[in-house]
Amino acid sequence: MRDEDGAATAVAAELPEVLRRAHLIGIGGAGMSGIARILLARGGQVSGSDAKDTRAFLTLRAQGAEIAIGQRADNLDLFGEAPSAVVVSTAIKETNPELAAARQRGIPVLHRAEALAGLMEGHRVACIAGTHGKTSTTSMLTVALQHCRLDPSFAIGGDLNESGANAHHGEGGLFVAEADESDGSFLAYSPSVAVVTNVEPDHLDHHGTAEAYVAVFTEFARRIAPGGVLIVCADDAPAEELAARAEAEGVRVLRYGRFVSGEGDARVLGYSPTEEGGTVQVLLRGEKLDVGVAVPGEHMALNAVGALVAGLELGAPAECLAEGLAAFGGVRRRFEFKGRARDVRVYDDYAHHPTEVAAQLRAVRHSAGKGRVVVVFQPHLYSRTKTFSREFADALGLADEVIVLDVYGAREEPEPGVSGALIADRISGAGVHYEPAFDRAVQLAAELVRPGDLLVTMGAGDVTQLGPEIITELDRRGEGD
């Protein structure tokens, strides 16, 4: 909110009674740690547990959180008394000793989305959803609103490079959140502004069918608060179909993309790439606006336009938003620069769906200039690898050299016949290497690259560890030059 002088006004941030003393199982996760940050900033008591220590715990402990490593029933009493609620994600199984103890003792159990919805109360809420690009778009919107001095509260599935934070309790009346469709939990939210970047079937291990996946976005659109707006990227056909269904049900819809012309829509007139980013030209409310984007790729430029439209709906001026978007420094693990060694630039990226991989590799090609693109790719989930092995192979074929690691199973058990080789065997157009061993993959990457190349580690698992190791190995090999 802003007063008559344009200054941000504070919003009452009372905690719901059920969250005043919360225990978070898996508190080190991206979503959970963000909720913990906001709870602590609002004066709540927070305890939690996780299987291993993480860098997020330093800040949380400094803010007063009690955190146990390892999960045991008695962790529920870290503050000497029972918590007012236990917060869990879909990844927490009913057999978890802390969850089982909470059920037995009659302690309320909330999904993390329900907890986040509770923190949204009293705010004007913007939720960003979509199969791809939701973290980047949420982050862009947050940074742009901060630049306009609106100080939103936010919860994002990644750390902003500017602040290193994935969540914040702001003094303004806005709350910006990434809305996760993977388990359907975004149906807990009722935003005033909802952005859908695209709709492409994924997470079929939970949703079962492509039709069910699409249907959950229709339900999400129905959750928009009365008088609110749905903003969609009309360049994505399924998102446009979602928009048409929502309009038929009386929801106000705004669109952005190359082929839109409605009043209030944002039409993309062109995109000019540079080595480190680009500029997107937008026709917005009858005025032309150039928006600089400091991260590469036309898909990122589209995300910025989506953030621009959402920011306008939240009351920020277009020019101010554009300035904020131009200053956006990216998100951890979204084409994050890790370092340079022997004239090889090394980046890390979270892309783990074929469409994301292809879009990022097209953007990387511009950044590589005359150098080659070398990818170390780790498939994420056995179910996704099995379903999309051909599509992954086609996307990875955009690189010059590809090292495919084995599958990062995360919450899934191994499936016979499903490994990284399923993808590697189908790649054409690139040099292909299947290497399940991390140490050997590091050596192989150092052998493959040449001066001027760009190497990117890619995937949603622990492949992120390899970038620094590859840089170290390249430096070691360069000592003898």
Side-chain angles (χ1 to χ4, degrees):
M1 295 180 183
R2 301 183 80 80
D3 61 23
E4 293 178 357
D5 296 322
T9 58
V11 61
E14 291 294 323
L15 282 176
E17 192 67 32
V18 72
L19 291 174
R20 290 189 180 278
R21 191 169 61 254
H23 180 83
L24 282 63
I25 304 177
I27 193 172
M32 287 294 200
S33 61
I35 289 171
R37 281 176 182 267
I38 298 173
L39 286 169
L40 289 163
R42 293 190 187 176
Q45 283 188 309
V46 173
S47 63
S49 64
D50 217 313
K52 59 182 180 181
D53 217 332
T54 76
R55 65 192 186 100
F57 294 168
L58 291 173
T59 301
L60 294 179
R61 286 180 172 132
Q63 289 181 284
E66 292 286 342
I67 301 174
I69 304 304
Q71 295 177 333
R72 304 174 299 276
D74 58 5
N75 285 341
L76 296 184
D77 300 305
L78 286 173
F79 276 111
E81 55 184 320
S84 56
V86 169
V87 182
V88 299
S89 70
T90 304
I92 304 302
K93 295 179 170 58
E94 288 291 331
T95 54
N96 180 284
E98 295 175 22
L99 177 55
R103 300 279 194 209
Q104 185 178 26
R105 293 167 60 176
I107 299 171
V109 175
L110 302 179
H111 188 279
R112 68 180 181 186
E114 295 174 306
L116 188 57
L119 296 176
M120 292 173 176
E121 292 179 5
H123 295 73
R124 189 167 184 217
V125 177
C127 285
I128 290 77
T131 312
H132 321 295
K134 52 185 172 287
T135 300
S136 295
T137 306
T138 310
S139 302
M140 289 174 173
L141 176 58
T142 297
V143 170
L145 292 172
Q146 288 175 330
H147 180 79
C148 297
R149 305 177 73 176
L150 288 170
D151 192 21
S153 296
F154 65 84
I156 307 172
D159 294 342
L160 292 174
N161 285 345
E162 282 86 355
S163 64
N166 63 342
H168 167 70
H169 165 57
E171 294 298 327
L174 305 178
F175 201 119
V176 179
E178 179 176 344
D180 182 14
E181 88 291 351
S182 65
D183 56 1
S185 61
F186 66 169
L187 298 182
Y189 312 136
S190 294
S192 296
V193 176
V195 179
V196 175
T197 57
N198 42 61
V199 181
E200 183 175 0
D202 195 10
H203 304 290
L204 301 187
D205 56 319
H206 174 83
H207 294 284
T209 65
E211 292 76 15
Y213 182 84
V214 171
V216 80
F217 279 92
T218 300
E219 291 302 316
F220 175 64
R222 290 172 178 155
R223 296 285 301 168
I224 294 172
V229 62
L230 173 66
I231 300 169
V232 301
C233 179
D235 290 0
D236 179 73
E240 171 57 30
E241 291 167 4
L242 170 69
R245 290 193 297 273
E247 280 182 319
E249 295 182 6
V251 177
R252 183 165 68 95
V253 174
L254 294 176
R255 295 167 170 84
Y256 62 98
R258 288 188 176 272
F259 308 107
V260 299
S261 57
E263 185 177 348
D265 291 347
R267 183 180 176 188
V268 174
L269 301 175
Y271 172 69
S272 305
T274 63
E275 185 172 304
E276 300 300 332
T279 300
V280 60
Q281 297 82 40
V282 184
L283 181 63
L284 184 66
R285 299 179 178 176
E287 300 288 336
K288 291 183 180 180
L289 183 68
D290 286 346
V291 181
V293 185
V295 285
E298 190 167 357
H299 63 300
M300 284 295 190
L302 271 176
N303 291 340
V305 177
L308 176 67
V309 178
L312 287 170
E313 284 295 310
L314 293 171
E319 292 288 348
C320 183
L321 289 167
E323 290 174 2
L325 290 168
F328 173 67
V331 186
R332 182 174 174 267
R333 296 224 59 210
R334 272 66 177 181
F335 200 57
E336 179 186 7
F337 181 64
K338 306 301 291 187
R340 182 193 296 263
R342 301 187 71 186
D343 198 27
V344 175
R345 286 176 290 157
V346 178
Y347 290 81
D348 182 46
D349 195 84
Y350 192 69
H352 57 282
H353 183 283
T355 301
E356 296 168 348
V357 172
Q360 194 59 60
L361 288 180
R362 283 191 289 268
V364 168
R365 181 65 67 187
H366 284 292
S367 297
K370 295 181 180 179
R372 300 179 308 154
V373 175
V374 180
V375 179
V376 182
F377 178 70
Q378 183 184 48
H380 183 260
L381 298 181
Y382 294 96
S383 58
R384 185 182 285 125
T385 301
K386 182 179 179 180
T387 302
F388 298 117
S389 60
R390 170 56 65 190
E391 290 82 356
F392 275 121
D394 291 343
L396 290 166
L398 296 171
D400 297 294
E401 295 279 354
V402 182
I403 300 171
V404 182
L405 305 173
D406 218 341
V407 179
Y408 184 85
R411 59 186 178 271
E412 295 183 347
E413 296 297 324
E415 187 173 339
V418 180
S419 71
L422 196 62
I423 294 172
D425 290 345
R426 296 183 172 184
I427 296 174
S428 61
V432 184
H433 314 267
Y434 172 54
E435 183 49 73
F438 269 31
D439 56 348
R440 176 57 190 151
V442 169
Q443 297 294 321
L444 181 57
E447 292 168 8
L448 287 172
V449 293
R450 306 169 188 164
D453 286 352
L454 188 155
L455 182 144
V456 56
T457 56
M458 187 174 284
D462 52 4
V463 66
T464 186
Q465 301 170 9
L466 297 192
E469 294 184 23
I470 293 169
I471 293 170
T472 299
E473 178 61 20
L474 286 170
D475 282 335
R476 186 188 69 78
R477 293 178 180 224
E479 292 172 358
D481 291 350

